[in-house]
Amino acid sequence: CASQGTTITLTTKTGQRYEGVIGSTGGEGDTQGVTLKDAKDITAPGQPLKDQLFIATTNIDTWSSGPAGSQAPNGD
């Protein structure tokens, strides 16, 4: 899993895409997930950044390191 301070792009199972900096991984209460800082909703351009956004692990479809649109090369 990516570590704190890493910018990631995350897609939820409902099709929303967010870009943000990992603030923490772990959970809120009994729910495991990731908290993004300065999260941007890529599926809704023009929305203000969210200071913090918690996304439950069960709602995460895929994620990748780096900002949206930049693909980190694999295997180098």
Side-chain angles (χ1 to χ4, degrees), residues 7-42:
T7 298
I8 65 166
T9 302
L10 184 149
T11 304
T12 68
K13 290 182 178 173
T14 56
Q16 290 175 289
R17 294 183 69 216
Y18 295 100
E19 177 187 308
V21 178
I22 296 177
S24 65
T25 57
E28 290 187 350
D30 293 334
T31 305
Q32 292 297 304
V34 61
T35 300
L36 296 180
K37 293 194 290 194
D38 297 328
K40 176 169 66 176
D41 186 344
I42 301 168

